[in-house]
Structures are given as C-alpha cells and as structure tokens.
Amino acid sequence: MTVDRPMFSVLGPLEVRLPGTAPRLGGPKPRMLLATLLLHANHTVGGDELAEVLWPDHRPRSAAANLRTYASALRAELGPAPARIRALGSGYAIELPPHELDLLLFEERVTAARERRARGRPDEAADLLARALALWQGVPLSDLPGSPLWDRRLGRLAQTRLRAAEDLVELLMAAGEYGEAAGELRALLADHPFREDLWGRLMLALHWSGRQGEALRAFGTIREHLVSELGVGPGPELRRAHAAVLAGEPPPRPSVPHGLPVKPLPVKPAPATSSGGGTHPVVPRQLPPDLVDFTGRAAEVAALTRALTPGGVAVVTGPPGVGKTALAVRCAHAVREAYPHGQLFLSLGGTDPRDGAAGSPAEPGELLAEALRALGAAEPLPPTVHERAALYRTLLAVRPMLVVLDDAAGAAQVGPLLPGGGSAVVVTGRRRITELPGAARIDLDVLPQAEALELLTAIVGAERLEREPEEAAAIVRACGRLPLAIRVAGARLAARPGWSPAVLRRRLDDETVRLAELRAGDLEVRESFDRSYRLLPDDAARTFRALGLLGTRPLPGWVVDAVLDRHRSDAVTDVLVDANLLRPVGTDPLGQPRYRLPDLLRVDARDKAGEVDMPALARVVAGWTAAAEHATARLPTTVFRLASPAARRWRLPDDALRRVGAHPVSWFGAEHETLVEAVRLAADAGLAGAAWGLAAALVPYFDLRCHLGAWEETHRIALEAARAAGDRAGEAAMLRGLGQVALYRDRYAQAAAMFRRSRVLFRTLGDVRGEAVSVCGLGAVGQFRGDHVAAFRHFRRALGMFVSLGDRSGEAYARQALGRGCLSAGDLNGAADWLGGALRMARELGDAHREGCVSLQIGRLHDLAGETGRAMRAQGRALTIFEGFGDRHCAAYAMQGLGGLQAARGDWRNGSARLESSLAIFRQLGDRSGEASTRRLLGELHRSSGRRALARGYLHAVTSRRVVGDAAISRD
C-alpha cells in the first residue's frame, strides 16, 4: 500500500513539505502557532487562544504584535503553497484543501469508510480505513511542548483513531483475513494493554489463522497481567475466547467469498438477567444525569412533560447553547417512572458527528444497531435499516419505553427511530423539525433576565453575587442570557474565588474577545456555534457573517438580498432561520418581516467576517441610502436635501420599494434607529461617502419630526468620517446640517460658523446649490439675531443662485424667507409682494407644503394689517394642509397662530385650547422655541383675563426672546 505524504503533517512530528525546498518555520513559537492553526484548519482561532498557547504562563504586552509577526513570517515561508494563513476578525485561520493536511485527510477517509460500509461495500471501507490509519506517524505533534488548549481536539482525534482501528479489525475478521487482523490488534494492544475484548479477538484471530499456540500464550499473558497488576482474573468474554481456542472451534464462514460484510462475527448472547431459571430482558437506563442547578423554564417543562404520555412525540429546538438537551433530560427524569421497561438515550450527531470525525450525522442504521444492542437483541443484527427498524418497533411494542433522540439532524434521520405504540419520544435538535405528524413542538429561546441571574447564582453562589448585583446583571447581559454562556461564565468565576464579578464583567465588555473569554474546560461557546456554522451552505454562511457586521437592530428581509447582491433570497433566509441562527422578530408596521441575530451569535458572526465580507456591508448601506432617498422624495418638505453623488445606491426589490413609497413617514418611523446605526457602521468601516450620503438623506425626516438628537448624532459621525477621508463635499454637507441643528437649539454663533465653513467648501467645489442652501442658513441666523439687513442680503443672494440654477423650489423658499424678513422689519407692502410671489410659485409647482408655509406667513401679514378674518382663514388653510400631511410640527405653529387670533377676538376658551394643543406638541417634539413662544401667549392671555397667578406660571417658564412665529422661520 502506498502511504500518502500530504504537504502538512500533525499526526506525528510537525512537518511541512514544499516542492523543491525545506521551509524554515523558525523557533518553537511560530511552530506552535502553525500547529494550532492546523489542528483547527479552515476555522478561525481567536487571538486570545493563540496567545494562551504560545505564552501559557505570562502573556507579553506585545502578544498581538508578535502574533502578527509570526503569521507574516509563516506566510512568507509557505510562499506559493495552496495553504493560506489569514487574519479574520480577532484571530487567524489557515485555509487549505483536505488532501494537503494528514489530519483532514484521515478524517475524510474515516467518514468515507463508514459510508461505504453502510452501503454494503465493506472491501472499499477496509481499504479506506487502512489508508487512513497509515497516515499516523506517532503521537501527534510529539516534537512540540503541547498545550492544554490542544487536548480536546487531540482527545477526539485519538478516539476517532481507536474507533477506526477497531472497525478495520472487525472488517478483516469478517472477511477471514485473520493474520492481518492479528497484526492490527497487536498494534492496538500496545496502546490499550488491558482491553480484554481486544485480547479475546486477538486470540480468535491467531487461532483461526492456524496459530493456536500463540493464541494460548496470549491468554496466559493477559491473565498474568490482570492478576499481577490489577488483582482480577479474566472476564467472561476472555474466558469464552479461551474455551473456543481449546475446543478448536472453526471460524465462521464469511458472508461473501471475496468481500466484507457490514458486521463482524462473533455471536454475542442477548444480555439477560437470570432469576429462578428464567431469563428477563435487560432494562436500559440510559438517561444522562439531571442537572442539579437546572433553572427556570417552568412553562416549557410543563409543556414537555404533558407531551411525554404513552405514544407522544415532542420536538425541542432552539439555537446552540440554549439548553435543549438539559430540558429534555430534566423532563425525561420527571416521567421515567411511567416507563418501567426502560429509557433509551441516543446521540444522533446532528451537528457534532460522533467520535470527533468530520462528516455526516449518524446513519439511522447505525443508531438502530445501538438501540437494538441496548434492548438485548441477539447478534447478528438484521442487515438493512428497514429490518432493524421493524425489530426495534417490535421490541418496543412489547416493552414501551421513553426514548430521547438528542441532536437530530432532521426528520429523515429521526423517522426510522420512532417506535410508535405506547413509547414516548422526545427529539432535540438545532434545526427546526416540523415534519413529524402530531409532534408537540417546543422552541427554546434565551432565558429571561431573572432566570438567567438565577442560573448564574446557582453556579457561583448567592453570597458572592449579592455583593455586586449590577455586575452580575451585566455578566448575564454580556452572555446574551444564553444558558451555555452563563454556565461558562459561572464556571470561570467558581474556579477563581479571588475574582470579583467585576473582573469577569470587564473582560466580557469587549466584544472582540468575548467568545474567547467564554470557555472553561470542555465548555466552549464558540465551538458550540461552530458546529452549526460549518453545516451551512456557502450562501448562508456568507449571509451569517455579513449580518454580524450590521449591528444590533432587527433587520428587514431585503437586507439578505443586498448581502448576496441578488433579489429573491428568501431561501437563504429560511436556511438560517431553520438552523436557529437567525430569529424572526415579528413584522413591522409596513408588513415587512424582521430578523435579528441573537447577541452572542452576532458576536460570533462578526468575528468570522473578514475583508471578503465588507462589500456586503457596503451594499446594505447602499440599500438603506436608496430606500431613504426614495422615502424622502415623497415627504412633504425636501428643500434642504443635499445628496451625495458618489454614494452608492442598491435598488431594493420592487415590493419593498412600494411599501416605502406608499408610507414614507411610517417607514422612517420603523427604521429610524436602524438607519442611525447604519450611518455609524458605514463610518466605522471607512465608507465615508456612504455614511454622509445616508445621513444627508435622513435630514428631511429628522426635520419633519424634530429628531434633533439623531440628526446631530448621524452628522457628527459622518463629518468625522468625511474629514478622515478628505471628502470635502461630505464635510460641507454635514456642516450645513449641523448648522441647522445648532440654529434650532438657539446656538447662533455656532450655527453661523458652520454655515460659513460649509459655504466656503461648497464654493470651492463649485456646488452652487450647496452654497445657496448654506447662505439661507446664514440668512436665518440674521433673522433670529434681529439683524434684518444681513438676513435680507443673504436671502437675496440665495435667491439669485436658485434662479441661476432653475431651482424653482429653492426660489419659492427664498421668496418666502424674504417676505418673512419684511414682516419682521414692518415692511408690509414688501412682505405682500414677496409672499404673494412665493404662494403663486408654490401652487404652480404643486408644492402644497410650501403653500402651507407661505399661508402661515400671510396670516401674520393680515394680522399685522388688522385683517383678523383674512388672517384666520390663511392660518386655517395652513393648518388644514399640515394636518393633511401629518406634519404635526408645522401644524403646531398654525394652531399657535390661530389660537392667538381667536384669543385676540375674545374667544378665550377656543383660543386657549388651541394654544394648549400646540404647547403639548412642542413639548413632545422637544421644540423649546415653540414651547417658549406659546407659553408667552398663554401667559398674556391669562393675565389679560385676570388670572394673574396662572399667567405668572406660564411667563416664568419663558426663556426665549423670540416673537410669535419666528421660531419656525428656518424650517422649510
């Protein structure tokens, strides 16, 4: 047999074979780094884990920098090899095909051998097993110091090797190749000298190959070892083999002359207990121990125990680490007395193939064999899945039992294991299993905060946590209230009595290392997540990683389309939902389904993401920008909108765009916080143009709803990103927006400085419209300060710019602003000319909102002219328009004007009611200027009616010096 020599070897000393060269891997630490990456090939190993391997006693401050140096040196030494060392998130990974690493090649061949054996091709299975075992050249990584962090992987690997060797022996003996089987058995016994079953097989192999004397000497050797070293004699199986050799029993006839049957001989009697000369079947009691600190889940426990009546089937699903098995075991123990014939527990390997081997979940035939042996069925077992399932159902029909099928891959795997009759079955799995008729379904989520704290307390102790309750609550939140993570965190605290909860909380605060911290012994959150992730198809894995980059907010379904750069990606979303890696969180007011990654899964997804996933983030932000601009274009006011021509747009599916366009204000309301987070994500990713383009698209909505905090937050984030990128257009646009916010907050000097700076930038860029919009801001500052000459000059200059551009909307705004300035200066004739022109232009443009704004000022004009009736009609017209648009802010100013006019005419009751309504809106929207001017009106109204105490309450709260109506002069 030819022995393969892959490029990388870890099944023995660490070796790297490159064509024509002997690579220099450096000292122990670079070799330890490479060995760790190879043990976890094609998976990311966190930076903290690598540092713990390289510096187990004392980690230097330069650990991260040293890791980068070692990784870079290894990349250079490997050169053009097909393996690639990549930095991914906070860790590293080596990517290579299985045939280039002996470990992966070994696991691949073992998996293939089991598949061949299950398909009735045992000769091919034996060849694959022999070739897999030949890859081993000794103790893995025997030339390196080793690390406790390797132990789990190496332990699983050793178990896989042992199982593979045992399988090969079975196949060889079943085929009559007793000499070869004896050789394999001697190699096994060198590592496991007290395995009596192996000694028994060795004796039979030697006997049936014509070496009876050697067989008897083998019996003498093991008997002597057992007596002298353990103080016991040979067991029943070994004595039976000895008797068979002495009696000269012939070997069984192979099932196929030149092939290997699926199962070996020797025949084993059915397990039984003897009583009064009869035999009684063994009663299997296979349930794992119940968790003494099992916490909460009262509703789920009640539902599952109710379902576990005779003939009942229940399915428990949920994301990794949520406690599915713990719930199933708790409830199984609760009802086990109702099933005196026994309880079976089968691990189906849906996400963690048994014995640590890579590959598919356990086959139903293999699982049925395990169950039948536990039930005492005599060997040889029936050869086909159908026959085994029939025997299994027959046995359980006579002896109904409780059956736990843990970690199922899906309904196809579970189906043959359902016994029917009076047995009860509970199935656990990470994937949603909905195809089992009549099954009760229990979908687990993370624990409520109170139950999560209760679990942490049960593990760590109440006295310790009661001293720092806030820190304990923060630990639970950092764990995403996931039971597995809480158990790990609790185990770490319990193992470190010198730590206060604050120490662990601080270590968990940093999301970039959180999953590396959530590891204690065999409990590891990241490994649990990895078992689900590695089963995902490529598109679903890409989507999972990209969603980790998109923040904490629930997202609409079209985001997956943008990630994959194609429409109709619902099937990929369904894969993630069915795998319980993505959670549906309801439907928003527009009818869009929304999804989010659970907290720790989001952290894991982000850690797994790399440069290859950044274009997906850019497309999602481009989708938000396109949607926001689509919605903005349908808002009643867009005069100060500044778009980024360089920002990318990604077109949403038509049905999503229709929803956005049909209900733009509702859409903004649903996506408000998500859009703010998208600006931050774009800026953090270095996508300056996308960040400020999206921030600019949000201005009309923020203005409409008076969301000054979000307006300022998005613009400051985007301004910093634009300056860092040298994007002067973005800097100008964000300064213009921030100037408007400062103006609304009465910070006139700050507003003027920002408007001036943005004007200079726009002029330098040759952006005439941007400059005109900035000049309008300067005009508004002049009006607020009472400098009517400067205000008039700025608005005239802006008007000229808008006219030169043919921007009639801008022209209408400037004419309105000039009319408003004339009003403030007492020039009623000038105001009438400017406002009349603005009103005609608004109607020609079909801009009803502009018409409402102008009507508001015309009402003031008529009021100052003593034409109260005409004033009230104009204000009423404005109010009707604003209420029709749902613009509560502008409507509040119209109410304020109408209320003042009604009070002036002596209608104090209705006037006061309108003023109180406008005051309530100003308070709700946070418009301090509108609130102050309305308070003044109410105070003067109550004072004139003789209610002086009430008047003093209103007037005392007034801090603004604005006159009625001036608070809105810069809006639209």
Side-chain angles (χ1 to χ4, degrees), residues 872-888:
M872 290 185 67
R873 284 193 295 274
Q875 296 280 12
R877 169 66 177 159
L879 179 59
T880 300
I881 289 173
F882 295 142
E883 288 182 336
F885 281 119
D887 185 349
R888 298 174 65 237

Side-chain angles (χ1 to χ4, degrees), residues 547-569:
L547 292 177
L549 299 172
L550 299 180
T552 60
R553 300 290 308 165
L555 298 169
W558 66 259
V559 166
V560 176
D561 290 354
V563 165
L564 298 173
D565 200 15
R566 66 172 190 255
H567 291 166
R568 302 182 184 277
S569 299

Side-chain angles (χ1 to χ4, degrees), residues 112-114 116-117 121-130 168 171:
R114 290 177 181 168
R116 300 293 198 284
R117 187 176 182 182
R121 294 152 66 182
D123 50 345
E124 295 178 22
D127 179 64
L128 283 164
L129 288 172
L168 178 59
L171 291 166

Side-chain angles (χ1 to χ4, degrees), residues 538-616:
D538 288 345
D539 279 353
R542 283 172 54 203
T543 301
F544 177 72
R545 296 193 306 269
L547 292 177
L549 299 172
L550 299 180
T552 60
R553 300 290 308 165
L555 298 169
W558 66 259
V559 166
V560 176
D561 290 354
V563 165
L564 298 173
D565 200 15
R566 66 172 190 255
H567 291 166
R568 302 182 184 277
S569 299
D570 293 344
V572 177
T573 304
D574 291 343
V575 168
L576 291 172
V577 169
D578 289 344
N580 273 299
L581 297 178
L582 185 66
R583 302 293 278 184
V585 290
T587 303
D588 64 25
L590 271 68
Q592 302 176 111
R594 302 187 78 82
Y595 306 90
R596 68 182 293 272
L597 291 176
D599 291 340
L600 285 182
L601 280 167
R602 175 185 55 80
V603 173
D604 182 55
R606 192 199 58 200
D607 288 350
K608 286 179 166 64
E611 287 299 320
V612 69
D613 300 301
M614 296 311 293

Side-chain angles (χ1 to χ4, degrees), residues 4-17 34-43 81-84 93-110 131-132 135-136 140-141 153-154 157 358:
D4 302 87
R5 286 290 175 261
M7 183 172 293
F8 296 92
S9 293
V10 295
L11 302 180
L14 175 64
E15 293 184 13
V16 180
R17 306 174 186 87
L34 178 60
T36 305
L37 295 179
L38 288 171
L39 284 175
H40 302 85
N42 299 320
H43 291 85
R84 222 174 23 144
I94 187 167
E95 298 177 345
L96 73 173
H99 67 272
E100 296 295 355
L101 174 61
D102 57 359
L103 182 153
L104 296 181
L105 186 57
F106 167 73
E107 293 181 329
E108 185 179 72
R109 288 177 177 172
V110 169
R131 291 168 59 203
L135 292 166
W136 287 70
L141 301 172
R153 176 68 167 127
L154 293 178
L157 198 59

Side-chain angles (χ1 to χ4, degrees), residues 810-825:
E811 182 182 347
Y813 169 80
R815 288 182 180 279
Q816 176 197 336
L818 287 164
R820 190 173 54 225
C822 289
L823 281 178
S824 299

Side-chain angles (χ1 to χ4, degrees), residues 44 55 152 207 300 325 586 599 626 706 734 842 857 901 949 956 960:
T44 303
W55 297 281
R152 185 176 182 187
H207 167 51
E300 292 86 351
T325 302
D599 291 340
C706 210
M734 295 301 95
Q857 302 305 320
L901 289 167
H956 180 72
S960 173

